[in-house]
Amino acid sequence: QVHLVESGGGLVQAGDSLRLSCTAPGVMFSNFDMAWFRQAPEKERERVAAVTFDSGSIFYIDSVKDRFTIDKDNAKNTLYLQMNSLKPEDTAVYYCAAAPRDSTRYQYWGQGTQVTVSS
């Protein structure tokens, strides 16, 4: 069983930075492609950033390019999302997700962490 736990959310002002973390006790992150999703009130969930099991390929949605950085530390079994120059439109619940290497579907999800950016 993969139990993902996010941390690092909070209330910040526009222009500030936050770093989200995602861990899963006993899980080898090297076996998973992973991603950060977010869902704002009354909006659909969107994939913000993703990284393959070996960090060989990374994806960002256009709205966060050059501001967010996803990093998967397989040695520490931790996934990070460094968020800089935060904007009010980044306000959402952020979720960590994992897909086994032999699957294209994110099967495991964390409980989410709230990020609120005030203007």
Side-chain angles (χ1 to χ4, degrees):
Q1 186 69 16
V2 178
H3 180 58
L4 300 171
V5 179
E6 303 98 335
S7 62
L11 171 63
V12 296
Q13 294 186 332
D16 286 350
S17 297
L18 278 176
R19 188 174 79 158
L20 306 183
S21 298
C22 172
T23 61
V27 174
M28 297 289 291
F29 276 25
S30 58
N31 293 330
F32 295 89
D33 297 335
M34 301 192 71
W36 289 97
F37 287 75
R38 68 184 179 187
Q39 187 166 19
E42 301 182 357
K43 291 189 176 180
E44 293 193 355
R45 184 173 61 193
E46 62 180 355
R47 188 175 61 162
V48 175
V51 59
T52 52
F53 68 97
D54 60 354
S55 299
S57 180
I58 291 176
F59 160 85
Y60 298 101
I61 57 171
D62 287 345
S63 60
V64 307
K65 284 180 180 177
D66 299 323
R67 298 189 299 122
F68 290 12
T69 302
I70 189 170
D71 179 36
K72 187 158 77 78
D73 188 333
N74 286 340
K76 295 182 178 180
N77 291 319
T78 303
L79 180 72
Y80 301 100
L81 185 67
Q82 178 66 42
M83 306 185 293
N84 299 328
S85 303
L86 282 161
K87 303 176 180 180
E89 51 263 42
D90 294 318
T91 295
V93 178
Y94 284 72
Y95 299 90
C96 172
R101 287 171 58 177
D102 58 354
S103 173
T104 58
R105 186 171 66 89
Y106 291 101
Q107 300 180 11
Y108 306 104
W109 296 82
Q111 82 288 349
T113 185
Q114 176 70 47
V115 172
T116 303
V117 185
S118 63
S119 57

